[in-house]
């Protein structure tokens, strides 16, 4: 292995450590607790080392969002692959989405609530974000109905799921009724 390859591997390792530590700190204490000073202390590197990888917290949030989008796409695809039937896949998708948000609230916020400097719904949208949307579209496109553009239907269904996540987390919706809400979404919006 060349010196350059070793340095690149070490740099990538530091970057993974920074992202993992930011994610862990955010999940434990919220995104307000994630500062370059605290990250530097936790990973035992100087702040200039952090800034050599990320220009600031915004870029760190973006890195967490990209990692989270990849994980969410994997979770949604695994859930939908495990069931048969279009409506069953949509219900599994909704449950997987809601479960991901509940298990990873800080990551969910990084993807959908916070400014991570990422472009959404544009030509320059990063691949992990496009793939997360594609994971939703794969099942939702099947049930959009005649004359309904599948991408638009996916956006609308996704918005409903995001609303459920947001309102449940804020204590506005009782979590014990989540399954009934999923069934209602599937029954009313998904066309056979």
């Amino acid at each position: 292995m060349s010196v350059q390859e070793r340095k690149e591997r070490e740099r990538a390792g530091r970057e993974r450590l920074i992202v993992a530590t930011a994610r862990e700190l955010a999940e434990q204490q919220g995104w307000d607790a994630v500062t370059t000073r605290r990250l530097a202390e936790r990973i035992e590197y100087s702040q200039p080392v952090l800034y050599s990888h990320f220009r600031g917290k915004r870029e760190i949030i973006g890195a967490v969002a990209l990692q989270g989008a990849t994980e969410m796409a994997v979770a949604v695809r695994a859930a939908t692959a495990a069931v048969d039937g279009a409506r069953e896949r949509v219900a599994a998708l909704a449950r997987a989405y809601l479960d991901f948000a509940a298990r990873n609230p800080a990551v969910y916020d990084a993807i959908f609530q916070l400014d991570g400097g990422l472009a959404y719904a544009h030509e320059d949208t990063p691949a992990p974000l496009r793939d997360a949307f594609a994971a939703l579209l794969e099942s939702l496109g099947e049930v959009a109905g005649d004359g309904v553009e599948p991408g638009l239907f996916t956006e609308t269904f996704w918005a409903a799921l995001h609303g459920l996540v947001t309102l449940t987390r804020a204590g506005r919706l009782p979590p014990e009724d989540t399954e009934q809400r999923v069934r209602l979404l599937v029954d009313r919006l998904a066309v056979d």
Side-chain angles (χ1 to χ4, degrees):
M1 172 181 305
S2 73
V3 171
Q4 182 64 27
E5 290 171 329
R6 181 182 53 78
K7 285 182 179 184
E8 287 174 11
R9 192 177 71 217
E10 288 171 357
R11 180 173 177 75
R14 278 192 307 272
E15 217 164 270
R16 282 191 303 275
L17 178 61
I18 293 166
V19 171
T21 304
R23 183 176 173 163
E24 178 183 314
L25 186 57
E27 291 292 1
Q28 291 171 352
Q29 299 176 29
W31 278 104
D32 287 342
V34 179
T35 64
T36 53
R37 175 171 287 174
R38 290 186 82 188
L39 286 173
E41 289 170 3
R42 281 205 174 195
I43 64 173
E44 299 178 346
Y45 284 112
S46 68
Q47 283 182 288
V49 170
L50 266 76
Y51 286 117
S52 74
H53 291 275
F54 299 98
R55 286 181 288 214
K57 182 176 176 176
R58 182 178 186 218
E59 284 189 5
I60 294 170
I61 289 169
V64 170
L66 294 176
Q67 185 181 73
T70 298
E71 293 170 9
M72 188 179 76
V74 168
V76 165
R77 285 186 175 113
T80 58
V83 295
D84 290 324
R87 294 170 68 81
E88 290 76 14
R89 279 191 291 282
V90 172
L93 174 150
R95 287 185 201 103
Y97 184 97
L98 296 172
D99 183 58
F100 178 86
R103 284 185 296 105
N104 306 283
V107 172
Y108 186 86
D109 286 348
I111 302 169
F112 298 115
Q113 304 280 80
L114 301 175
D115 179 9
L118 304 172
Y120 287 78
H122 288 33
E123 287 181 20
D124 59 342
T125 298
L129 297 178
R130 285 194 317 268
D131 188 53
F133 186 79
L136 301 176
L137 180 63
E138 289 162 10
S139 292
L140 293 170
E142 293 181 80
V143 297
D146 292 337
V148 177
E149 201 279 311
L152 187 60
F153 179 79
T154 299
E155 290 171 350
T156 303
F157 199 92
W158 167 35
L161 292 175
H162 179 69
L164 290 177
V165 168
T166 303
L167 293 170
T168 302
R169 283 177 54 187
R172 304 290 195 272
L173 295 176
E176 61 271 12
D177 296 331
T178 298
E179 184 57 31
Q180 286 180 287
R181 289 185 194 98
V182 167
R183 273 282 136 222
L184 183 61
L185 274 176
V186 173
D187 290 345
R188 299 292 184 220
L189 294 179
V191 177
D192 283 333

